[in-house]
Amino acid sequence: MEPKKLTPDWSIGKQPLYLQLATIFRRRVETGLWPRGEQTPTLEMLMREFGVGRVTVRSALAELESEGLLVRSRGKGTFIQDLPANAPQKFVVGTTWEELVARGNLNALTVSLNSAKEEALPLPAWCGTQAGQNQKYYLLERVYSRQGIRVCHSRVFLEASIYRRLKTEIRQQAVLTVLGNDRQTHIQSGKQSITIISAGDDTASHLHISVGSPVAEITRSIYDAENKLIYWACVHYDSRYIRLDFDLVK
């Protein structure tokens, strides 16, 4: 049966048309609507379904091919790739402090970028969070990878005295994990918010994705027993490799 013609309002999106189409194709692969190992619909079918030109469809398919989701066979067509045995699993983000610390101890991530500013500075206004007067923080920037694929890019502002005391541990582990395991640090409260945004040029460069690709932006604020902000972070996750689980009934 020929698929029903679908004509989204492409003008709403800020991405180039072929990237919007690639997002639709990617979801069809991820949800199994396009089963792995099967052939994709023909160019003509996709052109009619979405009301776009041949070049746009080809460019969208090429985007998925570059991601390893599709493979072209000369004279046979384009096929959905079987999921590799070593394909990276979804990165599960904790939704409580205890879970964040525990998952930090368990996640097998490697650090592709690991930098720290040499000078402690006040928390920048763009963080959107109030810090105490005269408080200073060190900025740490990291890119975490799993199985050779860049999963997330983080910027962390850590209270200066804590950073100086735990500098050695922080160089080897995620900052949240170090804080959670440190007996001298007493956490009173924390906040976490998650927003789906489009990747800017900086995030796209760090995660090796296209500008405008969907990413999950997670911001975290952690306060100590004196209600002093000791940790603020903004983490961008490639949306393809992140998962959130919530208990609806407790």
Side-chain angles (χ1 to χ4, degrees):
M1 178 182 296
E2 186 170 321
K4 181 180 179 180
K5 184 177 180 180
L6 179 66
T7 54
D9 185 353
W10 303 111
S11 65
I12 296 177
K14 296 182 180 180
Q15 289 183 314
L17 180 53
Y18 81 93
L19 287 179
Q20 296 183 57
L21 196 58
T23 298
I24 295 175
F25 293 169
R26 189 181 299 111
R27 286 300 298 158
R28 291 188 172 187
V29 174
E30 293 172 346
T31 59
L33 189 59
W34 285 1
R36 297 196 180 267
E38 298 293 322
Q39 187 173 3
T40 65
T42 65
L43 289 177
E44 290 72 18
M45 291 175 67
L46 293 172
M47 289 164 57
R48 288 196 299 271
E49 182 180 359
F50 293 99
V52 297
R54 182 179 297 270
V55 173
T56 300
V57 174
R58 283 189 180 276
S59 298
L61 293 173
E63 188 74 12
L64 268 66
E65 186 179 10
S66 70
E67 298 173 7
L69 295 176
L70 302 180
V71 60
R72 296 186 188 185
S73 177
R74 184 179 297 274
K76 294 183 179 180
T78 302
F79 294 81
I80 295 87
Q81 280 273 50
D82 288 326
L83 193 64
N86 62 344
Q89 297 178 344
K90 295 280 188 179
F91 185 93
V92 180
V93 176
T95 55
T96 65
W97 172 251
E98 292 76 12
E99 189 180 1
L100 284 169
V101 173
R103 290 198 179 280
N105 287 320
L106 296 174
N107 281 312
L109 297 177
T110 56
V111 180
S112 306
L113 167 70
N114 192 359
S115 68
K117 296 295 184 183
E118 296 181 359
E119 181 183 4
L121 298 170
L123 192 70
W126 57 262
C127 293
T129 302
Q130 292 292 331
Q133 191 174 13
N134 300 323
Q135 276 187 253
K136 292 189 176 182
Y137 302 82
Y138 282 91
L139 169 61
L140 297 89
E141 185 175 14
R142 289 176 175 173
V143 173
Y144 291 95
S145 301
R146 173 179 283 170
Q147 296 172 227
I149 296 177
R150 297 190 172 201
V151 176
C152 67
H153 169 234
S154 69
R155 285 191 174 94
V156 174
F157 288 90
L158 185 63
E159 196 274 328
S161 64
I162 294 178
Y163 172 77
R164 287 191 287 265
R165 180 168 59 83
L166 300 174
K167 184 188 301 186
T168 300
E169 293 87 342
I170 287 170
R171 287 176 177 172
Q172 301 171 357
Q173 292 180 282
V175 180
L176 271 183
T177 304
V178 175
L179 285 179
N181 293 332
D182 178 44
R183 294 184 177 182
Q184 295 185 45
T185 302
H186 302 286
I187 306 301
Q188 174 175 285
S189 63
K191 297 180 180 179
Q192 175 173 259
S193 64
I194 302 172
T195 309
I196 304 301
I197 64 171
S198 297
D201 56 344
D202 184 59
T203 296
S205 174
H206 281 110
L207 296 183
H208 293 173
I209 58 178
S210 301
V211 172
S213 297
V215 295
E217 179 180 79
I218 297 182
T219 58
R220 298 185 181 111
S221 304
I222 305 298
Y223 299 84
D224 67 7
E226 299 177 354
N227 202 33
K228 180 174 68 176
L229 180 70
I230 60 173
Y231 171 102
W232 186 92
C234 180
V235 188
H236 286 171
Y237 290 86
D238 185 331
S239 63
R240 294 173 296 174
Y241 306 119
I242 186 173
R243 195 183 83 210
L244 296 170
D245 295 329
F246 298 93
D247 289 327
L248 297 180
V249 178
K250 289 187 177 181

